Amino acid sequence: MLAQIGLGLISGGYATGAALGWGSEELALVMGDFGLSAAALAAAVSCFLYARRHLGSFRPAWLLFAFSSFMASVGNGVWGWYEVVLDREVPTPSLADLCFLLFAPPAIVGLLVLAKKPVTRAGWICLALDAWLIGGSLLTLSWSLALAHTARVETAEGESVARAALSLAYPLLDIVLVSMVLALHFRRSHANRSAVNTAIAALALTVLCDALFTSPLLREHYSSGQLLDAGWFAGSLLLAYAPWGARRTADPAAATRARHPHSRPLAGSLAALTPYLAAAVCTLGILYNVVEGRRVDRVVVFTGCTVVLALVLRQGIMLLDNIALTHELAQKENHFRSLVQGSSDVIMIAAPTGILRYVSPAASGVYGREAEDLIGSELASLIHPEDLGGVVHEVRRFLAASPSEEPTTRIECRFRSGRGDWLNVESTVNRHQGGLIFNSRDVTERVRLQAQLRHNAEHDPLTDLPNRALFTERVRNALSGRRSSDPGTAVLFIDLDGFKGVNDRLGHQAGDELLIQAARRLQDSVRAGDTAARLGGDEFAALILGDGNRDRAARECQVHEIADRLRVTLSQPYRVDGANEVRVAASIGVAFAEPGISAGDLLRNADLAMYRAKAGGKDRVELYAPQMQAEVVRRTELAARLRTALHDGEFALLHQPVVDLSTGRIAAVAAQARWRSAQGILFTPAEFLRVSDDSERSAELGRWLLEEAVEQAAERAGIGHRTPVTIRLSARLLLDRSLPLGSVESLLTRHGLPSGSLIIELAESDPRDPRVSFEELEQRLAALRRLGVKIALDGFGSGHAAITALRRLPVDILKLDRGLVEGVVESARLRKITSGLLRIAGDLGMQSVADGVDVPEQVLALRSMGCTHGQGMAFSGPLDEYRLRRALVRDEYPLPGAVSVSVGNRPPFRSNSETPVPPT
């Protein structure tokens, strides 16, 4: 913009000075001659420098313009030399005339370089004919008006042939230059259009001034420095500015053409009319001579005839070209029609009113409806009502957008087919004369496949329940939607206890059948708006949406009932693998939504509650409580330390005496592990076994307990204390392949423990536990008995499981459940139950051991019922090896209601208070 303003100010200043006469005749001559020379030289330097820096296809044109301007600069310099320096008239002809004549040819060739090149031979011929039509017409008109008169006058005055030719050369070259400017104006290249337009305007201004200068009326009174020089001066500056300043406006010009799309048809119309306008000018020149009564000049007649001949030739070429174009257009139309008719896509053209004006034949194969039936119908009537709003919105947005920024858009909706169903259709939409073109294709299979893939990604492949990702998303939606403030929303985490045993015993196929049946039961048990999901393995979950009830206690009770009913349902027997009937239990954790809780926290809370249910005995429902999180952190830290406790020697072995209730002598010692952690905390077996969660760590601990107890018992037997040692092991550990039968025998042999000195106390012997095969357990216990190992059944009297185990397993000793012993004094009902169980043991010829005998009253009651042995704080707590050996030396504890007696040289019994007990 600054360059354009500066250019205008300089040109305007020169024009003002020329109009006012520059103040003196000498200054007018200097500005008229050397000023024009300087302006032309500036144009020459500018075009030359631009051509050197930019190596493009237009470089020759700017070099030619530089040479043309240099000739004009030299011509004006020679003219000034004569008028200003030599102070005399410029001779005719002179060097200045030669330079001025050399201005036009390079400019004409430069215009040809800038023009858009024809691609055919006919195009080149038409370009030459168009140039001659314009030039010949201008020559005819100019000859009729002035050139013929000028030629006759100079010939009559006896001027030389060179002077007469020079007088005619200026206007003839100007006519050629004007012809080329007009002929090439509509053929200029699209590249750097603004710079080309500026150069053409500069040359046109120069030619106009030349035409005015060559007119006889103006030339007779012309002198340097007049207003006519301002036109030449502005033309030179405009040409100097063209390659540099106008180049930056190329993109805005392209944007202007994009905003005015109808300018090109107008330009094309003017280009087509140019030859006919030229012929009209030629005709006017001839008519002018006839009207004025002049004799028609031979030059006019010859030129007119050539113009007419050129026009006829051009029309013939255009006719042939039009025939070829028509034939090519027909071929392309047939090709396009074949493409449209053979395409599997449906092409529809809709008017601005939404009425279909054209539908391709492919509609019959895609939509099941003939194209003729669709033409004339409204497009909206074919679109699914649920999709119509979105389609209308997208179409309005597309039509409001700029065509250059968004030429097409894509719409996907459902179309009504001729079969009455709805097809998923994807359409590419283009603008068409105010309406729209739809290129549509049937994507129903693709949509169905995408839906199937999405379903597979969000559902469990085995049970077809929502998976963890979809369940988490639905929980997140429940917490963030209109139910976000409903405290009744709850999540249930469900774990099938004993499922691993089903897989181990019956195989994974049976396990998969069980999971499918469990999923079906879970799905049938929840409401329609709730969600049942499988999270993985034998873990399931359910989302129970709130009903708006603000009574939290009532809501918790209701959800607890739902969870308990679900627990009972999932615990019912399953028939798998044909005829096998298996049972699994369900541990369920429940967590309720709270204000501001996230989906992840709610799921974590339900998971914690589920693990609390498993730790509390399984087959139960547990509600989440905040302290569970702290307990999990504690258990995690404890489990991490437990992993290295065995290897770091943090475990110690204590023994608690088992006393004969008839004599008070020690009949056996029960081995118990204690863990004294690095922090000095002493953990009981119940604590660290709960942390180990019956995993590999629990098995490793059981093997350590067995080997350590046998080794210490053998050492005691070596010094004369042959008291049997009792070791409590789980049924699963006995069946663990990491503890084979031969390992127990080799252990007894290696340490030399006498036969009958090892008692294995069997724990967790529920025949309903699918993780334990009772057939294998029976065989294992029988093999151990053949080695001289005695078998004690722990937890006798705790329920149906112990009775069943007693019936099926080879057992030597029955150990009463601690729950019976604790209430045997206070409860008459428990006394009757305990008495009955002890009578069963006596009838079977088995010894009986009461665990948890802590007070003398329990000793008296149990002994009166026929119990043979007791273990508990009424006699002694767990003892380390040193205190144990001292107790074995005494070998007798005082019994309530009995008199102390001496056995051999042993001292009389002391009271239990004399025996220090380590902390437990």
Side-chain angles (χ1 to χ4, degrees), residues 373-696:
D373 298 337
L374 293 175
I375 296 176
S377 61
E378 292 187 2
L379 183 61
S381 63
L382 304 175
I383 300 176
H384 196 283
E386 296 178 0
D387 301 340
L388 183 58
V391 172
V392 172
H393 174 76
E394 176 61 21
V395 167
R396 289 176 177 174
R397 186 203 62 78
F398 173 64
L399 293 177
S402 171
S404 59
E405 296 177 356
E406 190 173 4
T408 64
T409 188
R410 192 176 67 174
I411 294 176
E412 189 167 334
C413 61
R414 286 169 288 179
F415 259 50
R416 186 192 302 276
S417 71
R419 297 175 293 274
D421 57 345
W422 295 97
L423 301 176
N424 293 93
V425 175
E426 182 185 70
S427 303
T428 302
V429 185
N430 296 270
R431 298 174 180 85
H432 175 69
Q433 297 179 358
L436 297 170
I437 298 178
F438 291 83
N439 190 357
S440 307
R441 62 203 63 87
D442 182 11
V443 293
T444 303
E445 286 300 322
R446 189 192 72 187
V447 171
R448 185 179 294 112
L449 179 59
Q450 289 176 344
Q452 183 63 41
L453 292 176
R454 184 167 55 251
H455 179 86
N456 293 341
E458 296 176 344
H459 288 74
D460 174 56
L462 179 64
T463 63
D464 203 39
L465 290 180
N467 59 13
R468 184 182 294 271
L470 180 57
F471 184 75
T472 304
E473 182 65 26
R474 291 189 179 178
V475 172
R476 187 179 295 112
N477 294 336
L479 297 179
S480 61
R482 59 184 179 87
R483 300 179 180 270
S484 57
S485 59
D486 191 346
T489 298
V491 170
L492 279 62
F493 260 48
I494 306 159
D495 184 83
L496 300 181
D497 302 319
F499 172 74
K500 183 177 183 300
V502 176
N503 269 344
D504 294 341
R505 288 191 296 115
L506 302 179
H508 289 277
Q509 183 176 356
D512 291 345
E513 292 181 18
L514 189 149
L515 290 176
I516 294 172
Q517 294 181 37
R520 189 179 303 118
R521 294 182 188 182
L522 176 61
Q523 184 68 54
D524 295 340
S525 300
V526 298
R527 300 172 302 180
D530 299 335
T531 300
R534 182 190 177 206
L535 305 183
D538 60 345
E539 289 189 354
F540 294 84
L543 172 64
I544 309 298
L545 299 178
D547 54 4
N549 187 2
R550 294 292 175 179
D551 189 350
R552 184 176 182 87
R555 181 57 178 165
E556 287 184 0
C557 182
Q558 180 184 4
V559 173
H560 194 283
E561 290 178 358
I562 295 174
D564 197 61
R565 186 169 60 249
L566 183 58
R567 179 190 63 81
V568 174
T569 301
L570 293 175
S571 300
Q572 296 297 320
Y574 296 85
R575 188 169 296 278
V576 297
D577 199 15
N580 290 316
E581 186 175 284
V582 295
R583 289 176 178 268
V584 293
S587 297
I588 302 178
V590 182
F592 286 90
E594 299 174 356
I597 192 172
S598 66
D601 291 341
L602 183 58
L603 296 176
R604 182 205 62 196
N605 293 346
D607 197 19
L608 292 177
M610 184 265 290
Y611 277 104
R612 169 59 68 88
K614 291 175 69 68
K618 305 178 181 179
D619 194 17
R620 56 184 294 174
V621 176
E622 191 78 31
L623 297 182
Y624 170 77
Q627 60 269 24
M628 291 182 182
Q629 179 64 24
E631 183 180 351
V632 167
V633 174
R634 174 182 172 275
R635 289 181 57 191
T636 302
E637 295 175 353
L638 200 60
R641 296 201 301 269
L642 180 61
R643 292 188 182 97
T644 59
L646 276 174
H647 303 287
D648 294 344
E650 296 181 6
F651 273 89
L653 193 63
L654 302 180
H655 295 83
Q656 188 173 26
V658 178
V659 179
D660 189 331
L661 296 183
S662 62
T663 63
R665 300 185 65 180
I666 300 176
V669 290
Q672 298 178 4
R674 289 293 188 271
W675 174 28
R676 188 180 298 278
S677 68
Q679 289 75 20
I681 304 174
L682 192 66
F683 295 100
T684 62
E687 291 178 300
F688 59 72
L689 285 177
R690 183 167 60 249
V691 171
S692 63
D693 197 20
D694 294 328
S695 61
E696 180 183 352

Side-chain angles (χ1 to χ4, degrees), residues 263-280:
S263 61
R264 294 300 302 154
L266 178 61
S269 301
L270 293 176
L273 291 176
T274 300
Y276 303 100
L277 293 175

Side-chain angles (χ1 to χ4, degrees), residues 661 818 821 850-856 858-859 862 869-875:
L661 296 183
R818 179 180 287 267
V821 178
D851 187 15
V853 182
D854 296 332
V855 294
Q858 293 173 343
V859 176
L862 291 169
H869 296 81
Q871 173 187 345
M873 297 301 295
F875 306 107

